[in-house]
Amino acid sequence: SLIDELYEMGTRHVSLNGGEALMRDDIEIIVDKINAKNMLCQLTTNGLLARDKINVLKKVDSLCLSLDGDKKSTDLNRGAGAYDRIIDAIECLNDNKIKFYTNTVLTKNNKNAVDEVMELAGKYGFRAQFSLLRQEDSPDKAISLDDEESRAAIGKVLEYKKAGFNIMPLPSKER
C-alpha cells in the first residue's frame, strides 16, 4: 500500500537501499509492485546475494553494486572474503546480461582505489561512480579523507572521466 500511496503522491522513482535490500523476504513482491506502477526501480546491493536473488535483479531498472576497490581494502571495509564474493556477483550479473554500475565510497582505507575500480570496469564493462566519505557524515572520522586526500582522489576520477571512461551513470526507465 505504501507504493500505491507514493504513486498517488507523484513519486515515479523508488530507490531500494539498505542495509541490504536483498535480505528482505518480500523484495521481489516490492520490485514487482514498483514495476506494475511503471515507476523507475533502482536497487543498491553489496552483491553478496546476487546469485540467490538473480530473478529480482533482472527486474530492476537501475542496479548499483557497492565496490570498495582492491581485495585488501574491500575485505578491510566489508570483512574477509567480501572482495571475492563481489567479483562473483559481478560475473553473475554479466553472465545474466544485467547492466549495473558500481559506487565506491572513498575512505582512508581505499583512497587509492580509483585505478583498481577503473581496471575492473574495463574488464567487466560496468560504469563506475565515486563518492567521498565526508567527515561530518562519518561515524568514524578516522577513516574520512582529509582535504588533500579528497582533492587527489577527485583529481584521479576527473583524469579518467576526461580520458573518456564511463563514470557517473544516469538511471533511466529502459529495459
Side-chain angles (χ1 to χ4, degrees), residues 35-46:
N35 285 333
K37 292 288 188 182
N38 201 32
M39 299 163 75
L40 181 79
C41 182
Q42 192 279 331
L43 188 138
T44 300
T45 179
N46 62 22

Side-chain angles (χ1 to χ4, degrees), residues 12-148:
R12 296 299 182 264
H13 178 174
V14 177
S15 183
L16 304 171
N17 301 302
E20 176 53 52
L22 293 179
M23 289 184 69
R24 291 187 61 104
D25 292 333
D26 60 349
I27 190 65
E28 189 164 14
I29 295 167
I30 293 168
V31 169
D32 287 345
K33 182 71 172 185
I34 293 167
N35 285 333
K37 292 288 188 182
N38 201 32
M39 299 163 75
L40 181 79
C41 182
Q42 192 279 331
L43 188 138
T44 300
T45 179
N46 62 22
L48 302 183
L49 297 173
R51 286 201 183 275
D52 295 337
K53 301 287 186 166
I54 197 68
N55 289 333
V56 175
L57 298 178
K58 288 178 180 180
K59 297 178 180 184
V60 301
D61 299 301
S62 176
L63 179 63
C64 178
L65 183 68
S66 300
L67 177 64
D68 296 319
D70 64 12
K71 183 174 179 58
K72 181 180 177 184
S73 60
T74 299
D75 286 357
L76 181 62
N77 283 350
R78 298 182 184 274
Y83 179 83
D84 293 333
R85 293 191 309 264
I86 292 169
I87 295 299
D88 180 64
I90 289 171
E91 291 173 351
C92 176
L93 293 170
N94 278 347
D95 289 347
N96 284 277
K97 298 180 178 19
I98 298 173
K99 290 186 179 185
F100 65 97
Y101 66 98
T102 61
N103 183 58
T104 302
V105 179
L106 297 169
T107 69
K108 288 194 184 293
N109 293 341
N110 67 343
K111 65 184 173 186
N112 298 315
V114 175
D115 291 326
E116 172 73 18
V117 170
M118 294 314 301
E119 182 179 321
L120 290 170
K123 179 179 179 179
Y124 291 107
F126 59 79
R127 296 177 284 181
Q129 175 175 290
F130 297 90
S131 50
L132 302 174
L133 180 65
R134 299 180 329 162
Q135 285 190 349
E136 57 271 13
D137 293 341
S138 173
D140 183 0
K141 294 188 186 338
I143 65 168
S144 298
L145 299 179
D146 61 30
D147 286 345
E148 185 177 320

